[in-house]
């Protein structure tokens, strides 16, 4: 293999072209036309043009590409689309244009069918037999890597109807469309799936055409159009029969033999239907990558997106072979079985179980086509290979092993800067532990005067850069959350107090990205360069500052870029990924009340060992059950007066006093119990607030959270020997803590009249006094009001009868004065109550 590995691609449709373009753009691969025995084109296409589906399926239909990423790409690559729903010829022209743009057309061997491909274990390559469709001449070539881009829907399915092919008129499958005039024809369409739904509205516009559609069940998407579901032996005359009956997905259309002589179809049959690992690789078939493999169709997303995900996944597996580090990559049988057990288990509760369609083996068997989750889940599962699920053969023994396999320790030379920074760090760490903030800050400034972004990754200052940045983040987070007296702070730390928590964390994160990115990439610093220990420190800082949403952002950004680790970058330690996921799923997401998302994330995660993943899932369920139990108990029982913990948060990334090394460890194990819903309720205005005390523990200790129903946030308590001791940042007379608020009982407050009346009447609102209060304040005033209204009417009536009788007027006045005693008493009582309320509202009572 003097010129590097050879790659053969079967199919020049959307998948094959996309794979070839990705190879050229990402790896600069050009060996599509080369052979040890001469020049042979290595992209095989059975038809006379590129495009695949868009070349062969010429039935009249407008295509709507509904996946946003693909739509953007199509617009960028071809801005002159005539419509958002272009016809087949325009889509075909697009793929033809891409082939020419990336100079792929000269490497494509058109009119060529691959007959078989056989793996040669001794030579670690496939021997490929192909045939010219015009001359039937067969030839053989070889390739170390074989890509099957045949597509999902390759073999049309014909219905099992007796006498169907005795029909004397024209009959064809919609995938093999015959371009003929249908004017005045009587046309029978068998099937009403996706193909029929697309072409029927178009051909129905043909003048004088008569269409009868036969189907098992009515279409759920569009209303029936001349559909016949039960002919009961009726004979109908037709000129044309169009079969819109789908495709066969239970048979692999190509003869490929693996290392045991078994074909792919043999393997499918042994597993009860099409089976693959991640729908892309098949155990026993080394260096074979298939696009649109088993269980990769979502039914709700563009197939182009699915193929792009598979291409990126395949390229990650191919890269070590192109680099000469590996010669063989083969999926393990047990990993494939485990993956498919998960897929079929999730599909067992789906609607596809009740389907009789090409989604299932022979229409009613194993669901071998559909993926059980969303497109995002498919991307997540295939975002990067899990190398422990593959058997690999190393090409040369003197090369660095793959990331994720045997760790490699890089020995870097010692420089004068690193030699001077080591003792300086010990002084800074000691000063921080002794709460000497000015000295710690001064030593940090001296250190970073010698530390800059690396020229290359890694460099001799990598370890010192990481340790000093962790100390700087820890110091600034601690000072911000628990500020000491302002007169002792350097100006740079005083300025931190002017920022919001989110702004502070954003600045810390961006500063770290710039610090660790190579100088050549400083303008586009990315989280891929960020050491995991620094990331974990930033996550703890977001928790301490009660900004879990920021922690979620930086974690998801880091996860999304782990599969593009730059060349030469030091591999992360084996436990770092698991630690980040633990923080993400057991602390960050629970604090955001994203319980369901955390559960779903762990179920679809495919990189952790099964035991570790199960432990996280069980821990998450326990946390959720405890939170729900606390919530329910709070709803059925009275709570003690709520308290607020104003001491420094114990999850602070502070250094451990018991650590024997000078390094600040931030990779300890913590378990968090999220705050209950009741703890998020506003405090009563009349409830005194009492400050609580809590110890700050080091990140280097193993800690667990003790649920505090009266506190908004969980309090971490150390399980180490230092549990009974206060750390330098524990609360107390000399603690660096924010002053707690005054108790509400001694605070001046402008309370409303309603609040005072409610508090005054609270002792009397009971089952024994309700009736009395109702009688005094409701019934009696209503009766008095009715009597007074009656009296006024009687008075007015008497006055109209005897307005001129002075004696009668005097008698009425005397009667009113004599009968007004009760009324006067009632008015006086109301006046007293009103004045009392007003005085209380003015603070006089």
């Amino acid at each position: 293999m003097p010129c590097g590995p050879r790659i053969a691609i079967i199919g020049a449709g959307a998948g094959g072209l996309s794979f070839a373009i990705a190879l050229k753009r990402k790896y600069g691969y050009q060996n599509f036309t080369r052979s040890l025995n001469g020049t042979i084109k290595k992209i095989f296409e059975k038809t006379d043009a590129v495009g695949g589906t868009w070349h062969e399926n010429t039935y009249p239909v407008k295509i709507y590409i509904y996946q946003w990423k693909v739509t953007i790409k199509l617009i960028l690559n071809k801005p002159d689309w005539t419509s958002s729903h272009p016809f087949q010829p325009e889509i075909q022209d697009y793929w033809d244009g891409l082939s020419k743009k990336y100079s792929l057309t000269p490497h494509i061997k058109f009119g060529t069918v691959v007959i078989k491909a056989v793996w040669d274990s001794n030579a670690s390559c496939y021997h490929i037999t192909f045939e010219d469709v015009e001359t039937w001449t067969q030839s053989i070539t070889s390739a170390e890597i074989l890509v099957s881009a045949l597509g999902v829907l390759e073999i049309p399915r014909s219905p099992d109807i007796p006498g169907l092919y005795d029909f004397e008129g024209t009959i064809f499958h919609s995938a093999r469309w015959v371009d003929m005039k249908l004017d005045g024809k009587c046309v029978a369409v068998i099937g009403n799936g996706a193909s029929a739904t697309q072409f029927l509205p178009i051909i129905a516009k043909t003048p004088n055409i008569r269409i009868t559609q036969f189907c098992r069940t009515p279409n759920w998407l569009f209303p029936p159009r001349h559909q016949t579901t039960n002919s009961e032996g009726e004979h109908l005359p037709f000129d044309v029969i169009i079969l819109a009956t789908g495709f066969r997905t239970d048979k692999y259309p190509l003869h490929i033999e693996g290392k045991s002589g078994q074909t792919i179809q043999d393997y499918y049959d042994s597993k009860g239907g099409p089976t693959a690992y991640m729908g892309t690789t098949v155990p026993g078939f080394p260096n074979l990558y298939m696009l649109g493999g088993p269980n990769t169709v979502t039914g709700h997303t563009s197939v182009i997106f699915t193929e792009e995900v598979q291409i990126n996944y395949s390229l990650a597996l191919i890269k070590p072979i192109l680099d000469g580090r590996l010669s063989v990559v083969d999926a393990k049988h047990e990993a494939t079985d485990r993956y498919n057990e998960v897929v079929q288990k999730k599909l067992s509760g789906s609607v596809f179980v009740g389907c009789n369609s090409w989604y299932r083996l022979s229409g009613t068997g194993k669901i071998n086509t559909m993926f059980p989750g969303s497109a995002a889940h498919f991307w997540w599962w295939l975002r990067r290979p899990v190398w422990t699920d593959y058997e690999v053969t190393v090409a040369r023994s003197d090369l660095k092993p793959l990331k994720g396999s045997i760790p490699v320790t890089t020995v870097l030379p010692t420089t004068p800067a690193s030699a001077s920074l080591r003792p300086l760090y010990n002084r800074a760490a000691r000063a921080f532990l002794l709460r000497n903030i000015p000295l710690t800050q001064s030593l940090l400034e001296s250190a970073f005067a010698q530390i800059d972004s690396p020229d290359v990754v890694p460099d001799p200052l990598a370890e010192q850069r990481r340790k000093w940045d962790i100390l700087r983040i820890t110091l600034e987070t601690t000072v911000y959350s628990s500020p000491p007296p302002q007169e002792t702070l350097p100006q740079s730390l005083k300025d931190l107090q002017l920022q919001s928590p989110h702004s502070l964390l954003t600045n810390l994160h961006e500063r770290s990205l710039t610090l660790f990115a190579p100088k050549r990439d400083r303008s586009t610093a990315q989280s891929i360069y960020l050491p995991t220990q620094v990331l974990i420190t930033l996550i703890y800082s977001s928790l301490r500052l009660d900004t879990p949403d920021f922690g979620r952002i930086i974690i998801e950004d880091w996860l999304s870029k782990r599969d593009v680790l730059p060349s030469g970058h030091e591999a992360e330690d084996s436990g770092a990924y698991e630690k980040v996921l633990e923080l993400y799923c057991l602390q960050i997401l629970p604090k955001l009340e994203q319980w369901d998302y955390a559960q779903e994330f762990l179920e679809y995660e495919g990189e952790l060992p099964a035991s570790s993943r199960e432990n996280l899932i069980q821990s998450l369920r326990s946390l959720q059950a405890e939170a729900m139990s606390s919530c329910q108990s709070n709803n059925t029982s009275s709570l003690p007066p709520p308290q607020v913990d104003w001491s420094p948060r114990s999850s602070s990334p502070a250094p451990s006093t018991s650590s024997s090394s000078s390094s600040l460890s931030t990779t300890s194990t913590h378990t968090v119990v999220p705050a209950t819903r009741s703890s998020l309720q506003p405090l009563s205005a009349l409830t005194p607030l009492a400050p609580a005390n809590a110890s700050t523990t080091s990140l280097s200790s193993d800690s667990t959270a003790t649920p505090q129903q009266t506190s908004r946030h969980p309090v971490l308590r150390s399980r180490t020997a230092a549990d009974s001791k206060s750390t330098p940042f524990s609360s107390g007379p000399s603690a660096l803590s924010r002053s707690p608020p005054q108790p509400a009982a001694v605070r001046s407050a402008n309370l409303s009249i309603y609040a005072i009346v409610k508090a005054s009447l609270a002792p009397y609102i009971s089952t024994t006094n309700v009736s009395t209060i109702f009688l005094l304040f409701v019934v009696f005033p209503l009766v008095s009001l009715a009597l007074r209204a009656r009296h006024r009417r009687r008075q007015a009536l008497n006055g109209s009868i005897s307005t001129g009788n002075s004696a009668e007027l005097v008698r009425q006045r005397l009667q009113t004065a004599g009968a007004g005693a009760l009324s006067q008493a009632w008015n006086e009582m109301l006046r007293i109550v009103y004045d009392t309320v007003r005085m209380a509202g003015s603070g006089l009572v």
Side-chain angles (χ1 to χ4, degrees), residues 64-76 300-305 308 375-376 379:
Y64 175 54
I65 299 186
Y66 48 85
Q67 206 278 328
W68 70 270
K69 179 180 177 183
V70 176
T71 303
I72 292 176
K73 284 187 175 182
L74 295 180
I75 293 175
L76 292 177
H300 51 72
T301 305
S302 171
V303 174
I304 299 176
F305 172 79
E308 284 182 339
W379 165 81

Side-chain angles (χ1 to χ4, degrees), residues 555-595:
I555 291 175
E556 292 179 350
D557 178 60
W558 179 78
L559 290 173
S560 67
K561 292 183 172 61
R562 287 179 69 238
D563 57 342
V564 290
L565 197 65
S567 176
H569 193 277
E570 183 179 357
E572 67 193 37
D573 60 273
S574 58
Y577 174 71
E578 182 175 351
K579 180 59 186 177
V580 172
L581 287 198
E582 178 186 341
L583 290 171
Y584 184 56
C585 296
L586 299 187
Q587 293 203 36
I588 295 294
L589 292 179
K591 285 184 71 66
L592 296 171
E593 297 188 359
Q594 296 287 325
W595 296 100

Side-chain angles (χ1 to χ4, degrees), residues 637-823:
S637 62
S638 60
L639 293 175
Q643 299 177 347
V644 175
D645 184 2
W646 293 97
S647 62
R649 291 175 59 105
S650 56
S651 58
S652 165
S656 171
T657 58
S658 61
S659 176
S660 60
S661 67
S662 62
S663 174
L664 292 178
S665 172
T666 56
T667 57
S668 62
T669 302
H670 294 76
T671 304
V672 68
V673 178
T676 60
R677 291 179 184 273
S678 62
S679 65
L680 299 179
Q681 299 300 322
L683 299 177
S684 171
L686 300 177
T687 304
L689 301 178
N693 294 332
S695 299
T696 303
T697 62
S698 166
L699 285 183
S700 60
S701 62
D702 294 332
S703 303
T704 184
T706 303
Q708 302 288 331
Q709 294 183 359
T710 60
S711 174
R712 176 170 180 175
H713 302 300
V715 180
L716 294 176
R717 301 196 183 275
S718 174
R719 294 197 296 264
T720 64
D723 184 42
S724 60
K725 301 179 181 179
S726 295
T727 65
F729 291 97
S730 62
S731 61
S734 60
L736 304 178
S737 60
R738 295 184 185 274
S739 300
Q742 282 188 317
V746 298
R747 291 200 306 259
S748 60
N750 294 325
L751 301 180
S752 65
I753 294 178
Y754 172 76
I756 296 175
V757 173
K758 180 179 178 181
S760 302
L761 296 179
Y764 307 100
I765 307 294
S766 63
T767 55
T768 57
N769 294 329
V770 167
S771 58
T772 302
I773 295 174
F774 182 80
L775 179 65
L776 288 177
F777 291 96
V778 179
V779 176
F780 186 76
L782 288 176
V783 172
S784 175
L785 181 62
L787 291 176
R788 292 180 63 185
R790 180 182 178 186
H791 177 74
R792 290 193 185 96
R793 286 197 300 270
R794 182 177 297 176
Q795 186 178 24
L797 181 62
N798 292 336
S800 61
I801 295 175
S802 56
T803 56
N805 193 332
S806 299
E808 186 66 20
L809 289 176
V810 172
R811 190 182 305 111
Q812 290 177 6
R813 292 194 185 99
L814 292 175
Q815 291 176 351
T816 301
L822 184 61
S823 176

Side-chain angles (χ1 to χ4, degrees), residues 120-320:
D120 184 343
S121 297
N122 295 325
S124 297
C125 68
Y126 283 96
H127 300 302
I128 305 167
T129 302
F130 56 94
E131 180 180 89
D132 187 290
V133 297
E134 295 183 355
T135 64
W136 294 1
T137 302
Q138 292 189 359
S139 304
I140 298 178
T141 188
S142 301
E144 284 70 34
I145 298 170
L146 182 62
V147 178
S148 173
L150 300 175
V152 180
L153 308 178
E154 169 66 14
I155 307 176
R157 179 188 296 274
S158 297
D160 187 14
I161 301 176
L164 178 64
Y165 293 97
D166 294 333
F167 179 64
E168 296 181 356
T170 302
I171 181 171
F172 57 88
H173 195 280
S174 60
R176 303 293 183 263
W177 191 267
V178 176
D179 191 10
M180 61 177 297
K181 292 185 177 297
L182 298 177
D183 305 45
K185 301 290 185 180
C186 186
V187 179
V189 177
I190 301 178
N192 68 334
S195 298
T197 301
Q198 294 176 78
F199 70 73
L200 259 178
I202 305 299
I203 68 172
K205 299 177 181 179
T206 305
N208 302 319
I209 191 174
R210 300 183 303 278
I211 303 174
T212 302
Q213 186 178 16
F214 298 87
C215 56
R216 280 194 306 259
T217 55
N219 193 307
W220 62 271
L221 183 60
F222 291 112
R225 185 190 299 272
H226 310 296
Q227 292 183 351
T228 301
T229 58
N230 185 8
S231 62
E232 296 183 353
E234 182 180 0
H235 292 273
L236 300 174
F238 294 103
D239 301 309
V240 179
I241 297 179
I242 303 175
L243 304 178
T245 49
F247 298 82
R248 295 200 63 175
T249 60
D250 53 349
K251 300 295 182 182
Y252 190 72
L254 186 61
H255 181 98
I256 297 181
E257 293 182 18
K259 58 187 180 182
S260 65
Q262 186 182 40
T263 66
I264 289 183
Q265 189 59 50
D266 292 337
Y267 178 76
Y268 282 2
D269 294 341
S270 69
K271 295 297 180 180
T275 303
Y277 178 71
M278 299 293 176
T280 307
T281 57
V282 182
F285 296 84
N287 298 358
L288 171 67
Y289 306 96
M290 58 172 60
L291 303 182
N295 296 107
T296 57
V297 177
T298 61
H300 51 72
T301 305
S302 171
V303 174
I304 299 176
F305 172 79
T306 302
E307 290 180 341
E308 284 182 339
V309 171
Q310 288 187 283
I311 290 170
N312 289 331
Y313 179 79
S314 301
L315 291 180
L317 293 170
I318 291 173
K319 183 63 162 62

Side-chain angles (χ1 to χ4, degrees), residues 2-3 23 30-31 76 82 270 454 532 555 580 617 640 692 750 828 844:
C3 299
L23 279 169
Q30 303 288 342
N31 296 336
L76 292 177
T82 60
S270 69
T532 50
I555 291 175
V580 172
I617 292 175
N750 294 325
E828 189 67 20
L844 300 178

